[in-house]
Amino acid sequence: LLNSALALKQLIHWLIAMGIDIGFARNTTDLPQRRIVYNQLIPQFGAKALTDIKWRDIRDWIRQRDGNPKTIGNILSVFRTALDEAVEDELINVNPLAGKKIRRKGTVREDEIDPFSNEEREAIINTATGQERNFILFAFWTGMRISELCALNWDVVDWHKRTVRVDKALTQPAKECEAPKTNAGVRDVKLLEPALSALQDQKAYTFLKGREIFQNPRTGERWAGDLVIRKRMWTRILKKAQVRYRYPYQMRHTYASIMLMAEESPQWVATQMGHTDWTFTARTYSRFIPDDAPNAETRRLNVGQMLAKSCHSGRQTTPNDVKKTPTLEIYNIYLFLFFNKLYCF
């Protein structure tokens, strides 16, 4: 009994009742998208007839909201899917969101690279105490994703090899740990001295339980995801340390920039961070690379030959290619890409 005067709220309820997926399929996305529907779309547009929902109304509403681009994208995705169904059922002629994107000036993406300086990093670590300090110190010196840190158990620590095995992740909506999205995500992360020290200190809190390494001190349970960490720990510590706010994910970017500025090879850094392709690591963090080094010209030529061969052959450059180039450092790639202007990736 659908008609063109149908309100958005009625449409959504009908779609759910009919079992039509508007984003509730996977466990990891179910909760956030339900919140989008019931806490945002229905209160704002639920009473409007579908034919009265215009692009300018959606655009102006989004621009007035305080949210990062990822959140905005999630809202538009759910909204767009529901309106696509309305078009399919001939309730409206055109989806007002078709091909539309919101570009907000002055916003910072969660994954935009904005690493902490040495002074900021030390201020954050020194401000934190107990389990919170151990978590933050370990995150800064392993480059692991927050979801990977939440899923970390004691049985993946190899004290002899000084590594931790990363093979699970725990996102905010998920009820249990899940496998990484890519094969590269499963890896052994080398424990540098500060990270090893953080683990040793954390033993006093959770080691005897033999389960999760890091816990929310308030609950005595495993951290449930990035959102809880931000609300219960991260924001408070940064404010007390008088450090400009950035998302916890910036600890990962900070680790990468520290390693690359220390002239670690891009292949090693990529493996540590779980990147599929080391050239992605090189491109992403190139602005944090020193532009001067001994024998730079010779090394630049070596890198140039390797990258040119990869480009012309159409084959993806692999970690083995890196090993074939002696003393390859990240600044080789930076110098070659920017001074020889080879943009084949």
Side-chain angles (χ1 to χ4, degrees), residues 282-298:
R283 297 193 309 273
T284 303
Y285 299 99
S286 60
R287 61 191 170 113
F288 302 103
I289 302 163
D291 57 3
D292 57 343
N295 303 318
E297 183 64 28
T298 300

Side-chain angles (χ1 to χ4, degrees), residues 75-85 95 97-100:
I75 293 172
L76 294 180
S77 176
V78 175
F79 207 168
R80 185 181 291 109
T81 302
L83 293 174
D84 279 342
E85 293 293 336
N95 184 341
L97 275 172
K100 302 294 187 181

Side-chain angles (χ1 to χ4, degrees), residues 7 32 54 69 87 102 122 145 151 203 227 239 252 267 319:
K54 306 299 182 184
V87 173
I102 302 288
E122 291 304 312
R145 300 174 178 90
K203 273 186 171 184
L227 182 61
K239 184 175 182 180
R252 177 171 164 84
Q267 186 271 341

Side-chain angles (χ1 to χ4, degrees), residues 80-147:
R80 185 181 291 109
T81 302
L83 293 174
D84 279 342
E85 293 293 336
V87 173
E88 184 73 17
D89 289 322
E90 299 181 352
L91 300 175
I92 54 177
N93 294 325
V94 179
N95 184 341
L97 275 172
K100 302 294 187 181
K101 293 183 179 180
I102 302 288
R103 293 179 174 85
R104 301 179 65 200
K105 297 181 179 180
T107 58
V108 178
R109 292 174 51 192
E110 182 171 354
D111 58 352
E112 182 175 328
I113 301 176
D114 186 12
F116 296 97
S117 68
N118 291 339
E119 292 77 12
E120 289 176 320
R121 187 183 70 247
E122 291 304 312
I124 295 170
I125 293 171
N126 291 334
T127 299
T129 60
Q131 293 198 64
E132 294 178 343
R133 181 184 186 278
N134 297 335
F135 179 93
I136 290 173
L137 181 61
F138 189 84
F140 267 125
W141 286 99
T142 59
M144 290 172 59
R145 300 174 178 90
I146 298 300
S147 59

Side-chain angles (χ1 to χ4, degrees), residues 2 6-25 30-31 33-39 41-42 78 81-83 85-86 89:
L2 300 179
L6 190 74
L8 178 67
K9 181 177 180 179
Q10 294 170 300
L11 171 68
I12 290 175
H13 287 166
W14 180 80
L15 291 173
I16 295 173
M18 294 296 292
I20 298 174
D21 177 29
I22 57 171
F24 296 170
D30 182 84
L31 181 58
Q33 294 189 347
R34 285 185 181 274
R35 286 174 176 169
I36 288 172
V37 168
Y38 294 110
N39 297 347
L41 295 185
I42 288 179
V78 175
T81 302
L83 293 174
E85 293 293 336
D89 289 322

